[in-house]
Amino acid sequence: MDRFDAVWVNARLATMTHGRPYGAIDDGAIAVKDGLIAWVGPRAALPDGGEIQHDAGGRWITPGLIDCHTHLVFGGDRAEEFEMRLNGATYEEIARAGGGIASSVTRTRAASEDQLYQSGARRLKALMSEGVTTVEIKSGYGLDIENEAKMLRVARRLGATLPATVITTFLGAHAMPPGFEGQSSDYIALVAGPMMDRIVAENLADAVDVFAESIAFSPEEAAIVFEAARRHGLPVKLHADQLSDQGGAALAARFGALSAEHLEYASEAGIAAMGEAGTVAVLLPGAYYFLRDTTMPPIAAMRRHGVDIAIASDCNPGSSPAVSLLLMLNMACTLFRLTPEEALSGVTRVAAKALGLNDRGILETGKRADFVLWDVSHPAELSYWIGAKPAHRIVRGGGILEMSP
Ligand SMILES: [Zn+2]
């Protein structure tokens, strides 16, 4: 029996482990066995074994990219709202007028599972074509038991049928559904009770998320949902402090959340609490860009308090219709002034942490053999180009993916 199934040589490796910039290894090799990285290091030290030798042609190899925050399963789109906003309406005005998330709820409820699968698959394939091998998908446009379960079944099916790992998140507390006006405590009781019970019974969610915001749910309501998640043994995350400081960062930290997202208005104390708790900050530059926000997330405070920073597409119909994670790297650097190395860490090593996944995100022995060969001469190019398609080969679980256009 061969020691390795295949060996990749003549590669420059961005292992994204600590130590040197990008964890780089100049003349590197990766050996895979049974879907895992069996050996990685300088080619000169590569042990014998392995029938198949792939020549990487001197290309850079990074871990497979991880998009740790998306809402990519939804009905319809919101291009008309985009136009409304350009005619002067604000995000909050649209939300209060029954548009915004509510219009996506109507269309998602009306869509069949097959329709949601088809449109979701298109968006997921667009992400995958750039080298994304793991993606998180949230519910939150169903907002009743049947339709939240439907969305999450579609997300599970995407993961079962396409060559990407899909991690699902139950976001029943995304918005107030029609019919619950002025009864948010009743709706939260439904989300934290029968809705979550059903989601857990069908094993549809890997984590639980809440949108804590002046136009959505209060920190106290988020805490009720988190307590329920804790009883079910599910990790939590929080859409926090996107439009105003709601104390969301501190709340996420108090519950030991995997991650808190957006954080444009988070306080320094909240960021410090996240650093203590090891809660990842997930920055979503696509939403910042698309909403033409002007308040940057407190990046300096995050660095000061040792908060790990992830970057994600936030792919959703209202505030970030983004199906390019590489564009998000560029925006993280241009809009948020992250370094290209921080940005790449944010879609590999740190994104894995934001999803609670220990088996990927870096090139290291024992991790999943998910990696991408790039037609670039330096990893900074992944953040630098706008609209380039530099993925040369995508390897998932040790096998080369054939990506259909
Ligand atoms: Zn989101």
Side-chain angles (χ1 to χ4, degrees):
M1 200 172 89
D2 278 322
R3 176 164 179 190
F4 305 130
D5 294 332
V7 176
W8 299 76
V9 296
N10 193 18
R12 302 163 84 184
L13 307 178
T15 66
M16 306 313 289
T17 52
H18 294 289
R20 343 175 252 296
Y22 297 98
I25 296 173
D26 218 21
D27 185 7
I30 301 181
V32 304
K33 178 76 177 168
D34 298 332
L36 302 178
I37 296 175
W39 190 90
V40 59
R43 183 184 188 175
L46 175 69
D48 285 339
E51 287 285 297
I52 305 168
Q53 284 243 349
H54 298 286
D55 187 337
R59 290 183 179 83
W60 279 93
I61 296 182
T62 71
L65 305 186
I66 299 170
D67 193 347
C68 67
H69 179 142
T70 87
H71 311 247
L72 67 74
V73 170
F74 54 84
D77 64 60
R78 301 236 291 273
E80 336 80 86
E81 256 171 46
F82 177 61
E83 195 158 40
M84 257 179 83
R85 197 146 49 76
L86 287 166
N87 281 308
T90 66
Y91 188 56
E92 284 184 273
E93 280 167 356
I94 290 170
R96 288 187 201 286
I101 289 171
S103 76
S104 289
V105 171
T106 303
R107 291 177 213 192
T108 301
R109 287 178 173 181
S112 70
E113 254 178 74
D114 280 345
Q115 288 169 328
L116 291 176
Y117 175 84
Q118 295 303 337
S119 63
R122 267 202 308 279
R123 294 185 275 270
L124 179 52
K125 284 179 181 173
L127 289 167
M128 288 164 61
S129 72
E130 286 193 335
V132 171
T133 51
T134 300
V135 63
E136 185 254 20
I137 302 176
K138 300 174 194 295
S139 68
Y141 298 117
L143 306 185
D144 62 25
I145 294 177
E146 286 311 319
N147 286 293
E148 285 293 300
K150 177 175 76 174
M151 287 187 71
L152 291 168
R153 276 197 304 273
V154 170
R156 285 279 195 238
R157 187 172 147 202
L158 288 167
T161 53
L162 295 176
T165 302
V166 171
I167 302 296
T168 60
T169 301
F170 170 50
L171 179 56
H174 193 195
M176 282 288 282
F180 278 87
E181 290 78 9
Q183 303 165 31
S184 74
S185 59
D186 290 352
Y187 182 63
I188 286 297
L190 175 64
V191 169
M195 209 185 282
M196 200 181 299
D197 290 347
R198 166 75 176 276
I199 300 300
V200 170
E202 289 192 34
N203 187 27
L204 290 174
D206 302 313
V208 172
D209 193 349
V210 174
F211 187 19
E213 191 51 68
S214 54
I215 60 165
F217 299 99
S218 69
E220 293 72 26
E221 290 166 331
I224 292 168
V225 177
F226 282 2
E227 295 283 4
R230 187 178 270 176
R231 284 196 296 277
H232 289 293
L234 286 172
V236 298
K237 38 189 60 209
L238 187 70
H239 283 66
D241 308 328
Q242 178 189 6
L243 307 171
S244 58
D245 180 11
Q246 299 279 314
L251 175 75
R254 182 153 62 81
F255 277 87
L258 288 173
S259 61
E261 344 281 293
H262 291 290
L263 297 166
E264 276 83 346
Y265 289 84
S267 67
E268 171 116 20
I271 297 300
M274 285 176 59
E276 292 274 308
T279 296
V280 171
V282 178
L283 303 186
L284 305 168
Y288 176 93
Y289 163 82
F290 197 75
L291 298 175
R292 305 183 77 228
D293 207 338
T294 50
T295 302
M296 280 206 355
I299 309 284
M302 290 170 188
R303 289 176 177 142
R304 218 167 25 248
H305 294 288
V307 174
D308 284 325
I309 299 173
I311 305 296
S313 70
D314 196 17
C315 176
N316 79 77
S319 61
S320 188
V323 291
S324 167
L325 194 56
L326 292 179
L327 179 58
M328 299 303 114
L329 295 191
N330 178 269
M331 288 184 179
C333 294
T334 54
L335 300 175
F336 294 164
R337 313 309 291 167
L338 261 56
T339 68
E341 187 184 358
E342 285 175 320
L344 187 57
S345 295
V347 295
T348 53
R349 179 176 55 79
V350 182
K353 183 181 176 190
L355 295 178
L357 298 173
N358 298 318
D359 63 345
R360 66 195 72 197
I362 57 176
L363 301 178
E364 191 179 76
T365 302
K367 303 297 182 192
R368 276 183 62 91
D370 292 355
F371 50 85
V372 185
L373 281 70
W374 301 97
D375 282 322
V376 298
S377 54
H378 190 281
E381 286 184 51
L382 300 178
S383 297
Y384 166 79
W385 294 107
I386 298 170
K389 297 285 181 193
H392 171 76
R393 283 263 186 287
I394 301 165
V395 176
R396 178 168 181 270
I400 300 172
L401 294 190
E402 299 294 338
M403 297 299 299
S404 53

